Amino acid sequence: MSDNPFALWVYLSQTPLLWLTVTLLVYAATDALSQATGRHPLANPVLHAMWIIGVFLSLTGTSYQAYFGGAQFVHFLLGPATVALAVPLYENRRAILAAIVPMLLALIVGSITAILSVMWLAQLAGLPDDVVRSLAPKSVTAGVAMGIAESIGGDPSFAAVAVILTGIIGAIVVTPLMNRLRISDFRARGFALGLTSHGIGTARAFQVNAIAGAFAGIAMSLNALLTSLLVPLAATLLLR
């Protein structure tokens, strides 16, 4: 140890428990900051945890593979967390059933808009077709988006980045945007957020209101299904 003062760090950096601990501590700190600011949109814990951990990995020269070796337990919990969304859906089933028709209409319009708008903008910007294909499923959860992107010739990794950025941006802008538009119905606010910003947006919706979170959860689930059907069709028609 005296010959190499960094020997302890070298040992710890290869230990999966270190990166799990770092992930949990950083998120706990950023979530506490979010609570202290009254859940201000700009204090989004996912956004700040992401860049803090990224800087830490860069400064320590740690590869993503080494980091994920420890943090994969958190990744594993995404599955159970998604399934757990069924609980608020069940608790608010009457409100959901009462709004089923407008929800389905909003789902169709929103899903088509989310897909076509980003594809057209990307084409106008002169981006390569593989980038356009990767951006198309940006409004669904990462696992689904990566699968869709790969099936139509896109880059799954790039699709995952687009998904995360979409979710964070949506979680930040939704509250001030809805307030500016004077939309006070939490069913509409939550559904719009879940449809456009998947899991990150749904988490933000639950922070604001339980009804908004329930509607965001059902929008996220339904949009994943519809997008998986519409993106290959859009890619076929627009990218020949």
Side-chain angles (χ1 to χ4, degrees), residues 119-141:
M119 293 183 70
W120 280 335
L121 288 173
Q123 287 181 312
L124 287 175
L127 297 180
D129 281 356
D130 59 332
V131 174
V132 178
R133 296 175 192 273
S134 303
L135 290 172
K138 65 174 179 55
S139 291
V140 298
T141 190

Side-chain angles (χ1 to χ4, degrees), residues 123-187:
Q123 287 181 312
L124 287 175
L127 297 180
D129 281 356
D130 59 332
V131 174
V132 178
R133 296 175 192 273
S134 303
L135 290 172
K138 65 174 179 55
S139 291
V140 298
T141 190
V144 177
M146 293 173 70
I148 295 173
E150 185 175 19
S151 70
I152 62 174
D155 183 345
S157 299
F158 191 87
V161 173
V163 167
I164 294 171
L165 290 176
T166 300
I168 290 175
I169 292 172
I172 290 174
V173 305
V174 63
T175 297
L177 177 62
M178 293 294 182
N179 290 342
R180 182 64 63 88
L181 295 175
R182 298 181 179 180
I183 298 175
S184 58
D185 190 331
F186 282 111
R187 297 175 301 173

